[in-house]
Amino acid sequence: MPTNGFNRALKLQFGLINYDSRYLTAEAFGFKVNASGVSMKKKQIWTLEQDEKDGQVVFLRSHLGRYLASDKDGKITCGAEKPDPDSRFLIVPQSDGRWALQSEPYLRYFGGSADYLSCFAQAIGEQELWAVHLALHPQASLLSVARKRYAHLSASDGEISVDSNIPWGVHSLVTLVYLDGKYSLKTCDSRFLSNDGKLVKENTNTTSFTLELKSGKLAFKDSDGKYLTPVGPTGTLRSGRCSKPGKDELFDLEESHPQVVFQAANKRFVSVKQGVSISANQDVETDMETFQMEIDKESKKSMFRTNGGSYWTLVTHGEIQSTATEVEVNTMFDIEWRGHRVALRASNGKYVCTKKNGQLSAVSDAVGADELFLMKLINRPMLILRGENGFVCHHKNSNTLNANRSVYDIFSLIFNDGAYHVKSVNGSFWYVSRSGLVCSDGEKPEDFFLEFLEHGRVAIKSSDGKYLRGDQGGTLMGDGTNVDVSSLWEY
């Protein structure tokens, strides 16, 4: 999916729910497919791929990397490692947002329940309809395909405007809320977008949209059958007049990277306000003091991008400037996590320190006060965590948390001098109990530390130095002694 060039468009991944409220499931044994899943976990997630020559044709890839296919008799398989003619499907969207999947070569429809799936129906009935449950992490940047501009909360106008060149700061974060097959768009100040363009506190019929896909892009259809579109010079996001989505009604979801501010030992914010040199010399946080942290997938090192699109880079004499336009060795930094503060090591092996004039230079061999920075995450006021087995949400009948659910709860993330407090929906706080359970009913906040260790993943450390992890039973524990797949979270 092409993007505006700032971040990657997210691959569309989803669960498909049949008329019986069961998910389409790909089993490892014999690559069999059934519709028996009761919730969306790894086996229930499908990735949509488009045919390069014909954008209407799609392929459905299972979590095992195999492709759904139907032969001329309607027999369903999911063992092919590459798409073949039998893997070609057409999506036929219905007015309620559900999909019918039609075999492109044989023009028959796919449906059924449990182990009885086939692609042989000549017409679309209830058994051939599938609801779409997005499996992406629900916090993203929203890009208008036609305007090539990003959506952001315009607090002064009380609307979502689609007129940003880049998705910068907390106002560009959009949270998708899924409920009963419909989606709502939530702003960073916890309001919902209504179809008339207003932002409201309650999630109602006017804030619920069905999701449609067209050529790999998303369209949001309201309860009156009209589509969200940017309107007017500021691109006010609201329902337009169209009852069929054209280019103006299409959007891409793009990955929302963490954006951070740094405060140096001199208590001033690191900034690019003074030109190309990176200096800790500002007293207020603005876009000039905000940096996007991008983590390299291979090396796990971090790059820091300015809102002008350039990167921090190491230049002669150890100075740090914002002159790099491409990622290279000198734009990569190692972050050392030191509790309430971080230290940054540049590609010359030296630590970044704050000089007397505020200028940042990588000239230190060891870490002292001048090499420590307060790093604050600014674009996740609402925290949604997804681990290897599913999302984190409140346990129904106790004060513990599940880490294996297909639905998510939204928690508040509150910064506290290099640490964070996590607040539950009911206003109480997370803490780790003596038995190592993460509980959600604390009266007093407890410090947790975020360590951004991998692209799109964070580890969370409790105040006693243990990591939060999902255990085999799906409970969120605070007893991890090291970082592994069970203690890394999409956020």
Side-chain angles (χ1 to χ4, degrees):
M1 291 186 207
T3 74
N4 201 17
F6 207 72
N7 295 324
R8 249 170 9 128
L10 292 163
K11 265 211 163 112
L12 284 176
Q13 294 185 312
F14 44 75
L16 289 170
I17 308 167
N18 74 353
Y19 69 100
D20 211 11
S21 300
R22 297 299 169 113
Y23 285 82
L24 185 65
T25 302
E27 304 287 1
F29 178 72
F31 299 113
K32 287 190 162 49
V33 185
N34 60 53
S36 306
V38 292
S39 66
M40 186 168 62
K41 294 183 183 161
K42 197 187 283 177
K43 290 181 184 178
Q44 286 77 30
I45 292 177
W46 297 83
T47 303
L48 189 78
E49 293 181 3
Q50 276 175 277
D51 183 58
E52 283 170 11
K53 294 196 184 82
D54 181 354
Q56 294 308 308
V57 172
V58 298
F59 306 106
L60 290 166
R61 197 179 82 219
S62 75
H63 69 105
L64 301 162
R66 307 298 175 115
Y67 290 87
L68 192 72
S70 163
D71 68 10
K72 65 180 191 307
D73 301 319
K75 183 170 181 260
I76 290 291
T77 54
C78 195
E81 290 184 42
K82 288 194 176 126
D84 59 31
D86 282 357
S87 330
R88 295 167 68 85
F89 287 90
L90 300 169
I91 295 171
V92 186
Q94 305 299 298
S95 59
D96 63 0
R98 288 189 292 177
W99 292 356
L101 290 168
Q102 187 180 31
S103 160
E104 193 232 15
Y106 310 116
L107 301 177
R108 300 293 179 104
Y109 294 96
F110 171 53
S113 65
D115 293 322
Y116 303 101
L117 296 176
S118 71
C119 189
F120 206 61
Q122 291 182 333
I124 301 169
E126 191 63 16
Q127 291 211 2
E128 286 73 45
L129 290 174
W130 299 88
V132 184
H133 184 176
L134 277 189
L136 310 168
H137 190 277
Q139 292 179 307
S141 306
L142 191 67
L143 175 71
S144 160
V145 171
R147 295 201 178 200
K148 294 192 168 56
R149 293 289 181 273
Y150 291 91
H152 66 98
L153 169 65
S154 174
S156 54
D157 302 325
E159 63 179 36
I160 295 179
S161 301
V162 185
D163 61 357
S164 272
N165 290 325
I166 52 172
W168 209 253
V170 66
H171 290 130
S172 296
L173 185 73
V174 174
T175 303
L176 290 176
V177 179
Y178 178 77
L179 190 65
D180 300 332
K182 301 274 183 94
Y183 285 87
S184 305
L185 295 173
K186 197 174 195 180
T187 55
C188 63
D189 62 358
S190 293
R191 290 187 291 171
F192 294 96
L193 177 69
S194 182
N195 59 1
D196 61 3
K198 292 191 171 70
L199 294 171
V200 295
K201 284 279 183 208
E202 298 297 319
N203 195 356
T204 63
N205 195 34
T206 63
T207 60
S208 298
F209 301 88
T210 49
L211 215 52
E212 285 190 9
L213 274 185
K214 191 178 176 187
S215 328
K217 309 293 180 194
L218 296 175
F220 296 88
K221 186 169 71 172
D222 72 12
S223 52
D224 301 325
K226 302 289 194 257
Y227 291 84
L228 282 184
T229 186
V231 176
T234 60
T236 303
L237 194 58
R238 51 169 303 173
S239 290
R241 298 196 183 95
C242 292
S243 45
K244 261 199 175 152
K247 194 175 180 186
D248 287 339
E249 287 73 39
L250 296 181
F251 297 89
D252 253 335
L253 285 176
E254 285 189 10
E255 182 176 19
S256 171
H257 288 275
Q259 292 178 345
V260 297
V261 295
F262 289 99
Q263 195 176 24
N266 63 9
K267 296 284 185 253
R268 306 189 85 183
F269 294 109
V270 173
S271 177
V272 287
K273 206 166 200 167
Q274 55 288 325
V276 297
S277 67
I278 310 268
S279 288
N281 61 5
Q282 295 299 314
D283 296 319
V284 287
E285 300 170 32
T286 71
D287 287 351
M288 295 280 198
E289 290 72 47
T290 300
F291 301 99
Q292 179 158 292
M293 184 161 69
E294 300 175 9
I295 299 176
D296 181 61
K297 285 183 175 168
E298 268 67 58
S299 68
K300 312 281 197 279
K301 293 177 191 284
S302 294
M303 288 82 70
F304 299 103
R305 200 198 290 223
T306 71
N307 73 330
S310 59
Y311 289 94
W312 291 20
T313 187
L314 176 69
V315 296
T316 48
H317 309 305
E319 199 180 325
I320 307 296
Q321 294 189 348
S322 62
T323 49
T325 52
E326 302 284 325
V327 169
E328 55 191 24
V329 167
N330 284 349
T331 64
M332 295 193 179
F333 295 82
D334 282 306
I335 301 181
E336 288 186 6
W337 307 96
R338 293 172 170 251
H340 290 265
R341 299 292 183 270
V342 298
L344 303 173
R345 203 166 63 221
S347 56
N348 62 358
K350 305 279 189 183
Y351 289 99
V352 176
C353 77
T354 310
K355 290 184 159 178
K356 290 276 183 282
N357 63 357
Q359 168 68 44
L360 298 199
S361 289
V363 292
S364 300
D365 292 318
V367 177
D370 290 338
E371 289 75 31
L372 289 173
F373 296 88
L374 180 77
M375 186 175 90
K376 177 166 86 165
L377 176 70
I378 62 140
N379 63 336
R380 289 294 184 280
M382 297 185 288
L383 187 68
I384 295 171
L385 294 175
R386 181 165 80 162
E388 59 166 343
N389 296 312
F391 288 103
V392 171
C393 73
H394 289 102
H395 189 280
K396 282 198 178 74
N397 307 315
S398 77
N399 63 348
T400 61
L401 294 150
N402 291 121
N404 63 350
R405 299 288 298 280
S406 59
V407 293
Y408 44 86
D409 281 331
I410 298 176
F411 302 95
S412 299
L413 193 64
I414 301 153
F415 184 72
N416 177 46
D417 185 38
Y420 296 85
H421 300 153
V422 187
K423 197 169 169 183
S424 287
V425 186
N426 60 8
S428 50
F429 292 94
W430 284 20
Y431 64 95
V432 180
S433 73
R434 282 190 185 145
S435 55
L437 287 160
V438 181
C439 301
S440 62
D441 60 344
E443 288 177 23
K444 298 198 307 281
E446 192 169 291
D447 280 351
F448 291 92
F449 299 92
L450 303 187
E451 298 181 358
F452 301 93
L453 300 177
E454 287 189 10
H455 181 101
R457 305 270 186 296
V458 68
I460 302 173
K461 206 183 230 182
S462 66
S463 48
D464 66 356
K466 298 282 178 57
Y467 288 99
L468 269 51
R469 66 178 185 94
D471 75 0
Q472 290 299 315
T475 301
L476 187 63
M477 304 294 294
D479 61 359
T481 51
N482 61 338
V483 175
D484 59 21
V485 68
S486 72
S487 50
L488 283 169
W489 307 92
E490 283 182 69
Y491 57 94

